[in-house]
Amino acid sequence: MISALLLVGIVVAVFVGYNIGGATTAPAFGPAIGADAASKTAAGGLMTIFFFVGAWTIGRRVVDTLGRELVHDPAVFSLEASVAVLFFIGAALFVGNVFGVPASTSMTAVGSIAGLGFAAGELNWTVMGEIAIWWLVSPIIGFWISLIIGRYFYSYLNRAIAMERSEGPLFEIDRSRIVPIPAPSDTTNRRELGGVTVVIAIGCLMAYSSGTSNIANAIAPLVGSGELEMNPAIVIGCFAVGIGAFTIARRTLETMGNELTELPLTAAIVVATVSATLVIFLSAIGIPASFVIIATMCLIGLGWGRATRPITVPEAVRGEKSTPVSVGALTVDEAGEELPPIGEEEPERIPSAADLFDPGTTARVVLMQNVIPALATIGAYATFQFVPVFGL
């Protein structure tokens, strides 16, 4: 018989997973939606499947870190404390959505659990320090890898994988067989099919990486309390993520799909690949990663590298330079556009480092991404320290 308090904990965990599904499906499959490579229903299905695969394999390592290693004595995860921690995580997600800033769920979850551990005198400072170091190092790694790609390899990648959509549907139903199957339409070329495959594969990789890291944010407190076993907790968390992917994610998919049409598809693929790879690596060593911050730094690095790339002799002779493309608060330039003859160019067309950021928007995003986890940490500590019902 499930106790009423455990049922409340499961409901709150489902709420957290639901928000995770809504928040992470769009970054994963926004490029595919923008390129008309997948439907919103297909994106929701792929997100659910690959999130589950990531959670079931590597994700349990991050659950162990948050639920059993971040505090010396997992007994501090009483059922009441676990419900409170999940409440702080869910509340932080809500605040981030209200302000339109994608808050780091992982940082918020770690902060809430750290507040509990600190109040109880059971915080494992060694594990906390290791997590904090990787939080500082991983965005820097992503920034420099993306900068190098943008500066030296982006043009080659763009020529290799850039895709232009043809008119009409990508696939048609072939009814000439006993069992009707989808087949490429007459207007679809091989290069386009290759581009579609890459975009969808990258989305699946991002969904997998999200599962490896984010499943812990929804279920770690309940698993740490011993009230819920690992395997059923993963199933419940992934089910909740799937609900979010099929429902509230549709709106964010529409928004991101439209916005990403302004972002060169090659740039979206580079940022997604570097970010997802780093998140999977961190999850494999048990570190809860902030995909939002890593992806932001990768986008900044890629834009900076593109803006400062060396101009080759053939480009100088032809009068070709990079042209900036505005994407939200950042600017990413698109290579290969031919400018007017030398001497007649508009100087403002050549991007500088200052063009890469909208200072006001960037400051707001960075501030909120740090303030929200800090508020969760302080709130959790104050609650567990001064509210006697928890008995710490």
Side-chain angles (χ1 to χ4, degrees), residues 186-278:
D186 294 335
T187 60
T188 305
N189 55 59
R190 182 176 299 179
R191 182 181 180 86
E192 188 176 10
L193 283 177
V196 167
T197 302
V198 170
V199 171
I200 294 177
I202 294 301
C204 294
L205 176 66
M206 292 180 68
Y208 176 84
S209 72
S210 179
T212 64
S213 181
N214 283 321
I215 187 62
N217 304 325
I219 66 172
L222 292 178
V223 173
S225 71
E227 296 289 340
L228 204 59
E229 294 296 325
M230 177 77 77
N231 288 346
I234 289 176
V235 172
I236 292 172
C238 292
F239 176 75
V241 169
I243 295 176
F246 277 103
T247 55
I248 57 173
R250 299 179 73 87
R251 180 178 299 177
T252 53
L253 276 169
E254 179 68 27
T255 301
M256 290 201 69
N258 289 335
E259 289 177 356
L260 282 171
T261 56
E262 299 179 20
L263 178 67
L265 188 60
T266 307
I269 290 174
V270 170
V271 170
T273 303
V274 175
S275 304
T277 302
L278 279 172

Side-chain angles (χ1 to χ4, degrees), residues 11-31:
V11 170
V12 178
V14 167
F15 172 72
V16 174
Y18 175 78
N19 279 279
I20 290 173
T24 59
T25 302
F29 291 98

Side-chain angles (χ1 to χ4, degrees), residues 137-349:
V137 171
S138 56
I140 296 174
I141 294 174
F143 172 85
W144 282 105
I145 291 176
S146 301
L147 186 147
I148 292 171
I149 293 175
R151 183 172 173 82
Y152 298 109
F153 303 105
Y154 183 88
S155 296
Y156 303 103
L157 291 173
N158 192 44
R159 286 194 292 269
I161 64 178
M163 180 184 72
E164 292 185 4
R165 285 284 284 111
S166 59
E167 297 293 332
L170 286 169
F171 296 95
E172 297 176 344
I173 301 299
D174 184 359
R175 305 184 184 278
S176 62
R177 304 172 184 269
I178 298 177
V179 178
I181 60 172
S185 65
D186 294 335
T187 60
T188 305
N189 55 59
R190 182 176 299 179
R191 182 181 180 86
E192 188 176 10
L193 283 177
V196 167
T197 302
V198 170
V199 171
I200 294 177
I202 294 301
C204 294
L205 176 66
M206 292 180 68
Y208 176 84
S209 72
S210 179
T212 64
S213 181
N214 283 321
I215 187 62
N217 304 325
I219 66 172
L222 292 178
V223 173
S225 71
E227 296 289 340
L228 204 59
E229 294 296 325
M230 177 77 77
N231 288 346
I234 289 176
V235 172
I236 292 172
C238 292
F239 176 75
V241 169
I243 295 176
F246 277 103
T247 55
I248 57 173
R250 299 179 73 87
R251 180 178 299 177
T252 53
L253 276 169
E254 179 68 27
T255 301
M256 290 201 69
N258 289 335
E259 289 177 356
L260 282 171
T261 56
E262 299 179 20
L263 178 67
L265 188 60
T266 307
I269 290 174
V270 170
V271 170
T273 303
V274 175
S275 304
T277 302
L278 279 172
V279 170
I280 292 171
F281 165 74
L282 293 175
S283 300
I285 61 176
I287 302 296
S290 173
F291 183 88
V292 170
I293 293 177
I294 292 175
T296 299
M297 292 304 296
C298 288
L299 183 56
I300 293 172
L302 182 67
W304 199 299
R306 292 293 302 130
T308 59
R309 74 183 183 92
I311 302 298
T312 64
V313 172
E315 288 175 329
V317 171
R318 293 195 302 267
E320 297 178 359
K321 296 182 181 179
S322 301
T323 301
V325 177
S326 177
V327 186
L330 306 172
T331 298
V332 178
D333 53 305
E334 186 176 4
E337 181 175 336
E338 188 169 327
L339 298 184
I342 296 175
E344 298 181 14
E345 307 96 329
E346 298 177 5
E348 62 270 46
R349 292 178 63 88

